[in-house]
Amino acid sequence: MITIHCRKPGQLNWVVLLVSLFHSFVLSQMAYGHVGSSGVIVQKQAGKYQLLISIKPPDVVPGTASVTVFVEQGRAGIIGARPIYFRSGDKGAPTHDILTPTGTNRYEGDLWLMSSGSSSIEFDIDGPDGKQRVVVPVMAVATALRDMPEGTGFGLAAMGLLLVVMLVTIIGASNADGVVAPGQAPPAKLGRKRVVGMGIGLIAITLILAGWRSWWNSTAEDYRNVQLYRPTPIKASVRIADGQRQLTIRFDTSGYGADRQKRRTLSYILPDHGKLMHAFLVRMPGLDAFAHLHPNRLDTLNYESALPALPGGKYMLFADVVYRSGFAETLTDTVEVPLLKISAEAAAAAKPTDPDDSWLVAEPMGVKANAVNVPHLDNDMVVCGKPGASAKLADGSSMIWMDKSAQILEAGKLYTLKFAVADAQGKATPIEPYLGMGGHAAILRSDGTVYIHLHPVGTYSMAAEGSLVSRIADTARTFHYPNAVHFRDSIDNWLAKLKTLPEVEKNRMLAASMPVMSHPMKTNNMVEFPYAFPRAGHYRIWVQVKRNGQVLTGVFDTQVNDPLL
């Protein structure tokens, strides 16, 4: 029997819908820090203020980012916001725009992002509870091509034709009418001069329009081939070595020479939560096998990780990396994992590449659980009068999805996904920091078109935030990268040292590397994630926490529908 403690009446319910996010434009092939969801959601503490920030960046740059700030705790009077690009820093940024209060403790505004690149939005909060500053990473990249509506095109074409006719007529008239003195009869050749003038005018306008069209086509081609974001290509493969399967992830730089849009500063990858790369493997089509791995860097282009005891099959791969500029990417590929039959002793003796690697084999998506020690994948309980779900964890404890607002969730609505852990006797049991945070989550739509690596602070990277905060503090107008070899070696040495530390010291060192991250859990057996499902569909959620030094993974399914209008 699992004991569930409910809130007292009147206590705030953080799972209540906070805001509707409209106009979700999803591009399944685009990936920058996630796949299929372009918004940024942040929930964090800043002094006495607890803020929930939602940013919808434009999918065409230049464009406006829609910003919404909820002050969940604290008394704020004025909130200003401004975009700051990594390459220009604070010196090249505009002044703050004041957000408009639109409700109780809610502020909104639109900010222009004028060029592509790694950027952030800096918020200045001022009020009775003091002044605070928060920086939120935002990737300012063009992800869409917009076609002009057919009606608008016809209307503009008709207006343009009218203007050309009028301009040609005016040129012809001015060429002819000037030769006639007041009171004199027009000469016989007046009409011919008017026609000649109109012909010259038509030729001049035609040349101008041809040059303008050439410029327009060139600009459109540059946007399509250079500015339009494309994720860095990778090639994943699995080989068998010494009786163990090895996953290799290689950055594909074959197009770097001809296409500058593809280029990345691969020597300047930053560790995020103490790892250079977070690689997630999910078996298709049932989403029944999952692994969260942290490959080692062999050289600038190649990363490698030993595979755990996963079943063979076709897997989707999502690899998260963060560059020194604060730009975060999710790189995607599919990989065939061969079936490897080994003895139980050999499987037990196999060591993961990283002690924080974890994996889980569960039921295929949509199958009801009816066996002991098998995750419950559907709503199977009521928690505080609301639908809930539970999952058995590998150590015999249970994970409970708390405060689920309904059996079927709505796309575009912001929820706080809250999960609690109870021991085998059903009592609340504390969880330990996992990679420097209360927990991690991965969410995947059944067809793979939506993926997100979630943290309690939201949908962005801590390493990206740290990089952009340090850049803002830099007084230089332009940023100069350090020596690539020295930078890469210093990162590798830091990571090697991190792996040798005891867990407590490692978490202390991780916390020191993420000083801007402030999001303590309110209850020591719970972890929360703010998220808005970008589109309708069937989703699987993997929630990862650490207990007694062991990484534990709970798996849950949920259906998301379009909102009722």
Side-chain angles (χ1 to χ4, degrees):
M1 180 67 178
I2 296 177
T3 303
I4 306 297
H5 298 281
C6 299
R7 296 187 182 91
K8 297 178 181 179
Q11 190 173 358
L12 288 176
N13 184 348
W14 298 110
V15 182
V16 173
L17 168 66
L18 297 175
V19 66
S20 295
L21 303 175
F22 298 104
H23 311 301
S24 295
F25 185 82
V26 177
L27 293 174
S28 63
Q29 300 304 315
M30 297 300 170
Y32 47 101
H34 40 69
V35 174
S37 178
S38 60
V40 180
I41 299 170
V42 177
Q43 186 180 48
K44 67 184 307 181
Q45 196 78 25
K48 294 183 178 180
Y49 302 106
Q50 179 170 298
L51 306 173
L52 181 63
I53 303 171
S54 174
I55 302 173
K56 176 66 176 178
D59 53 17
V60 174
V61 179
T64 56
S66 299
V67 177
T68 303
V69 178
F70 293 90
V71 183
E72 297 179 311
Q73 293 179 7
R75 297 166 298 165
I78 297 176
I79 299 180
R82 62 170 179 163
I84 302 178
Y85 281 82
F86 179 84
R87 61 176 173 269
S88 56
D90 179 71
K91 298 298 182 181
T95 58
H96 289 83
D97 290 340
I98 303 302
L99 303 185
T100 303
T102 58
T104 305
N105 295 327
R106 173 173 174 166
Y107 300 80
E108 294 183 347
D110 293 328
L111 297 177
W112 274 97
L113 297 178
M114 298 304 297
S115 60
S116 298
S118 179
S119 66
S120 60
I121 293 180
E122 180 188 75
F123 295 89
D124 270 357
I125 304 99
D126 194 2
D129 284 331
K131 295 183 178 181
Q132 293 293 330
R133 179 167 293 175
V134 173
V135 175
V136 179
V138 177
M139 303 303 108
V141 290
T143 61
L145 288 170
R146 294 298 189 199
D147 293 327
M148 183 180 294
E150 187 174 343
T152 303
F154 283 127
L156 291 176
M159 292 176 60
L161 180 61
L162 177 62
L163 289 174
V164 169
V165 171
M166 292 175 62
L167 187 57
V168 169
T169 303
I170 291 172
I171 294 174
S174 63
N175 183 61
D177 294 347
V179 300
V180 181
Q184 294 183 353
K189 57 181 179 180
L190 178 62
R192 186 172 60 185
K193 286 189 175 183
R194 180 178 289 113
V195 171
V196 171
M198 292 174 64
I200 295 174
L202 181 60
I203 293 172
I205 293 174
T206 301
L207 292 175
I208 292 173
L209 291 177
W212 173 84
R213 179 176 177 80
S214 176
W215 169 84
W216 178 269
N217 289 340
S218 175
T219 301
E221 191 70 17
D222 180 77
Y223 178 87
R224 184 181 296 106
N225 295 331
V226 178
Q227 296 186 49
L228 191 64
Y229 171 77
R230 296 181 184 86
T232 303
I234 58 173
K235 293 182 179 179
S237 60
V238 176
R239 61 184 177 86
I240 299 176
D242 298 327
Q244 190 170 8
R245 295 168 299 183
Q246 297 287 336
L247 170 68
T248 299
I249 300 173
R250 178 178 176 82
F251 286 89
D252 181 7
T253 61
S254 58
Y256 276 27
D259 189 350
R260 64 183 175 89
Q261 194 276 344
K262 292 182 180 179
R263 298 175 190 171
R264 298 290 188 273
T265 52
L266 299 179
S267 294
Y268 297 96
I269 291 180
L270 291 177
D272 194 16
H273 304 285
K275 313 296 179 184
L276 276 180
M277 178 182 289
H278 294 262
F280 293 86
L281 284 168
V282 181
R283 188 167 75 158
M284 295 296 289
L287 279 64
D288 57 341
F290 165 87
H292 178 185
L293 308 177
H294 308 97
N296 284 334
R297 176 161 59 183
L298 302 181
D299 53 46
T300 304
L301 301 182
N302 294 283
Y303 290 71
E304 189 172 82
S305 177
L307 286 183
L310 295 173
K314 187 175 184 179
Y315 284 75
M316 290 185 294
L317 170 67
F318 303 92
D320 296 333
V321 295
V322 182
Y323 303 97
R324 177 62 182 87
S325 65
F327 193 87
E329 276 195 306
T330 294
L331 316 174
T332 61
D333 198 8
T334 58
V335 61
E336 192 72 30
V337 175
L339 177 64
L340 181 63
K341 294 182 179 181
I342 58 175
S343 65
E345 294 78 8
K351 293 184 178 180
T353 298
D354 190 283
D356 290 313
D357 287 356
S358 55
W359 62 93
L360 177 72
V361 179
E363 294 184 29
M365 198 170 194
V367 176
K368 292 183 178 296
N370 55 8
V372 179
N373 294 329
V374 175
H376 292 249
L377 306 184
D378 301 302
N379 297 315
D380 62 355
M381 60 189 303
V382 174
V383 182
C384 300
K386 297 180 180 180
S390 65
K392 279 289 185 182
L393 303 180
D395 68 345
S397 60
S398 298
M399 183 178 289
I400 304 101
W401 186 347
M402 306 285 292
D403 289 354
K404 190 176 180 183
S405 60
Q407 289 190 2
I408 298 177
L409 304 181
E410 291 187 18
K413 291 186 177 181
L414 185 56
Y415 298 96
T416 296
L417 308 178
K418 177 182 291 186
F419 302 89
V421 178
D423 63 18
Q425 288 72 44
K427 297 182 180 180
T429 181
I431 56 177
E432 303 159 4
Y434 174 41
L435 299 178
M437 306 197 77
H440 292 249
I443 299 178
L444 186 65
R445 195 171 184 266
S446 58
D447 60 356
T449 56
V450 176
Y451 154 84
I452 187 72
H453 178 189
L454 268 178
H455 306 110
V457 291
T459 63
Y460 70 102
S461 159
M462 304 302 100
E465 180 184 18
S467 180
L468 289 160
V469 168
S470 66
R471 178 67 183 99
I472 293 172
D474 186 1
T475 58
R477 182 64 174 79
T478 58
F479 179 79
H480 298 285
Y481 280 92
N483 178 275
V485 175
H486 293 167
F487 181 86
R488 186 179 65 241
D489 290 346
S490 66
I491 293 295
D492 289 341
N493 291 335
W494 185 84
L495 292 173
K497 177 182 178 181
L498 192 67
K499 283 187 177 183
T500 64
L501 297 178
E503 193 69 15
V504 174
E505 292 185 32
K506 182 175 72 173
N507 285 319
R508 189 182 299 118
M509 193 168 176
L510 285 175
S513 69
M514 300 183 292
V516 293
M517 192 278 289
S518 176
H519 194 281
M521 292 293 101
K522 303 179 185 70
T523 309
N524 65 0
N525 76 315
M526 292 186 184
V527 61
E528 304 175 6
F529 306 94
Y531 187 60
F533 295 89
R535 54 189 296 204
H538 201 186
Y539 288 82
R540 175 156 283 192
I541 305 172
W542 294 269
V543 181
Q544 298 193 289
V545 297
K546 182 173 279 191
R547 179 173 178 261
N548 296 326
Q550 182 181 359
V551 179
L552 302 171
T553 303
V555 58
F556 302 88
D557 291 345
T558 191
Q559 180 68 36
V560 178
N561 288 351
D562 288 321
L564 298 176
L565 300 179

